[in-house]
Amino acid sequence: RYSLDAHKLLSEVGYSPKVFTTSAVPGNWILIYMEYLNNHSILYHITSNLDDQKRSSLRKKIEEVVKYLHNLGYVHGDLREGNILVRQLEGNEFDVKLIDFEWSGKVGSVYYSPFMNHEDIKWPDRAEDWKLVTKSHDLFLLKQSL
């Protein structure tokens, strides 16, 4: 289930796209109207063109965003490079936004989907269908993405 709470908490400080409104859709779905990020790219498209100093600066910024989420008592659950959007600013500065809060929520209350892709994705130990999402799983996936 999509964690609108996690999304909104991050959007309040600029770490995810702004949520404008939501509406319920038949079938227990939620439609989320959010900010369009015209100048952001997925992590991979940015890091391939960065020197070591800029890559280090970007890594620190991403870690800051994830630490903020964790300090609020939330986990993301899917911190792969496609869910980390980046826009390079002046110098070594970056705007980082997390997206896809499908497996996000309060620590100790959110579980992985029974439809995890175990063939193409290297998940951390104990990240399995119907198992709890943990902060350590987030950090494993983040390290793998960086």
Side-chain angles (χ1 to χ4, degrees):
R1 178 149 203 145
Y2 195 88
S3 178
L4 193 56
D5 289 344
H7 187 156
K8 284 182 174 180
L9 285 169
L10 288 182
S11 73
E12 288 173 0
V13 293
Y15 290 157
S16 69
K18 293 176 186 154
V19 175
F20 298 125
T21 191
T22 63
S23 61
V25 178
N28 203 25
W29 291 88
I30 184 171
L31 186 59
I32 302 164
Y33 297 91
M34 68 181 90
E35 172 185 18
Y36 176 68
L37 301 175
N38 189 37
N39 297 312
H40 287 70
S41 299
I42 62 171
L43 182 61
Y44 171 79
H45 290 269
I46 296 290
T47 57
S48 59
N49 299 317
L50 298 178
D51 61 33
D52 289 343
Q53 185 179 12
K54 287 181 181 174
R55 187 175 285 123
S56 176
S57 179
L58 175 57
R59 181 182 307 110
K60 287 177 185 173
K61 182 63 179 184
I62 295 169
E63 289 170 347
E64 172 188 311
V65 172
V66 174
K67 182 178 180 180
Y68 182 84
L69 179 69
H70 286 175
N71 286 343
L72 290 174
Y74 283 80
V75 290
H76 187 277
D78 197 9
L79 283 174
R80 293 178 292 137
E81 61 188 28
N83 294 330
I84 303 170
L85 302 182
V86 179
R87 179 171 57 109
Q88 188 170 358
L89 305 172
E90 304 241 347
N92 290 335
E93 298 296 315
F94 296 89
D95 182 37
V96 172
K97 303 220 189 275
L98 301 183
I99 61 169
D100 191 0
F101 296 91
E102 192 67 32
W103 296 347
S104 302
K106 291 291 274 177
V107 172
S109 68
V110 63
Y111 296 84
Y112 285 106
S113 161
F115 306 107
M116 294 175 70
N117 179 350
H118 295 285
E119 294 180 25
D120 301 321
I121 300 169
K122 180 176 175 11
W123 294 98
D125 290 339
R126 294 187 298 243
E128 302 168 6
D129 299 2
W130 298 112
K131 299 289 183 180
L132 274 174
V133 177
T134 68
K135 290 179 183 180
S136 64
H137 294 166
D138 278 355
L139 298 176
F140 176 93
L141 290 169
L142 182 59
K143 182 177 179 184
Q144 189 171 270
S145 293
L146 296 173

